[in-house]
Amino acid sequence: SMTIQEFLDVLSSKEPVPGGGGASALAAPGQCLGQMVSNLTIGKKKYALVEDEIKELAERMKGIQGQFTQLADQDAKVFAPLAKCYSLPSGTEEEKAYKAEVMEARLLDASLVPMEIMEKAAEMLEIMDILADKGSRMAVSDVGVGVQFIRASLTGAAMNVFINTKSMKNRQKAEELNAYAMKMISAGTKKADEIYGKILNSLQGTEK
């Protein structure tokens, strides 16, 4: 519900949220550029053969936009309970055990939200790849810009996964999450770089 300026003001302050997780969730510029390209493609005679496909992608992107916004809010909501855990009493063995149990649950919650952000970013990259090939040639550079925003969203969200899994006592679960995040980083950055390189080559006239 914030304006862009309000969000940026709070983001730059010492307030605990929003932070890197919330910023990563707002890959909105990237996916909005994807929607813009789809809107510039739909209705053009030149792209009539792919219009139905582009319309479907446009609808998917509208849904993803709402999901990114929800994840930005959710990131803030899971951080607050985690922050409170550090001030729980730990004078007795019972208190220590309770604090450890609650902390573990909150760390897991705080890891899963950025993981979802990464998954949505990966989904957006698949869509942007199609737009790079089938979207309006007049707006292909905007696909390239959008891809870079989405790439940053994916790799940025991964930092919030790792900062939380680092403190988890259940190392098996932590390593499972880390491995999944690393798999998405590897696949996502490769995909983003391929799309960006493809667009760069086409703009420079070196497309093969």
Side-chain angles (χ1 to χ4, degrees), residues 98-206:
Y98 176 74
K99 182 176 182 178
E101 181 182 352
V102 174
M103 179 75 76
E104 190 73 5
R106 299 295 177 262
L107 285 168
L108 179 59
D109 289 342
S111 301
L112 294 178
V113 174
M115 195 77 80
E116 287 188 62
I117 296 170
M118 295 180 73
E119 290 173 339
K120 289 300 159 189
E123 184 178 351
M124 270 304 305
L125 287 174
E126 295 295 333
I127 293 174
M128 297 299 266
D129 194 16
I130 297 172
L131 291 175
D133 292 332
K134 300 181 180 181
S136 171
R137 294 298 88 194
M138 296 297 292
V140 69
S141 61
D142 295 298
V143 177
V145 175
V147 162
Q148 293 299 81
F149 274 109
I150 297 164
R151 187 188 197 279
S153 174
L154 185 145
T155 56
M159 297 293 97
N160 274 46
V161 174
F162 298 139
I163 193 67
N164 290 305
T165 57
K166 182 179 180 180
S167 299
M168 289 174 62
K169 300 299 182 183
N170 185 342
R171 296 316 304 163
Q172 180 178 346
K173 184 63 176 179
E175 293 308 321
E176 286 176 4
L177 295 173
N178 288 346
Y180 183 44
M182 286 302 301
K183 182 179 179 180
M184 283 195 285
I185 290 173
S186 178
T189 54
K190 180 180 179 181
K191 170 66 73 175
D193 292 345
E194 286 176 352
I195 301 168
Y196 188 78
K198 176 170 57 178
I199 295 170
L200 189 62
N201 288 338
S202 70
L203 293 174
Q204 293 180 327
T206 58

Side-chain angles (χ1 to χ4, degrees), residues 21-92:
S24 296
L26 288 180
Q31 63 86 25
C32 284
L33 284 170
Q35 289 189 59
M36 183 191 77
V37 174
S38 68
N39 289 329
L40 289 171
T41 306
I42 295 168
K44 299 294 176 63
K45 186 182 297 186
K46 183 178 180 180
Y47 304 104
L49 292 177
V50 297
E51 181 162 317
D52 288 344
E53 182 178 6
I54 300 300
K55 283 182 177 179
E56 182 181 339
L57 294 179
E59 285 302 311
R60 282 178 62 190
M61 285 187 283
K62 285 181 182 179
I64 293 171
Q65 179 180 355
Q67 291 169 330
F68 270 130
T69 303
Q70 291 172 359
L71 286 168
D73 288 339
Q74 188 63 21
D75 184 75
K77 289 177 182 177
V78 296
F79 180 80
L82 174 60
K84 288 181 180 179
C85 285
Y86 291 97
S87 60
L88 288 173
S90 56
T92 67

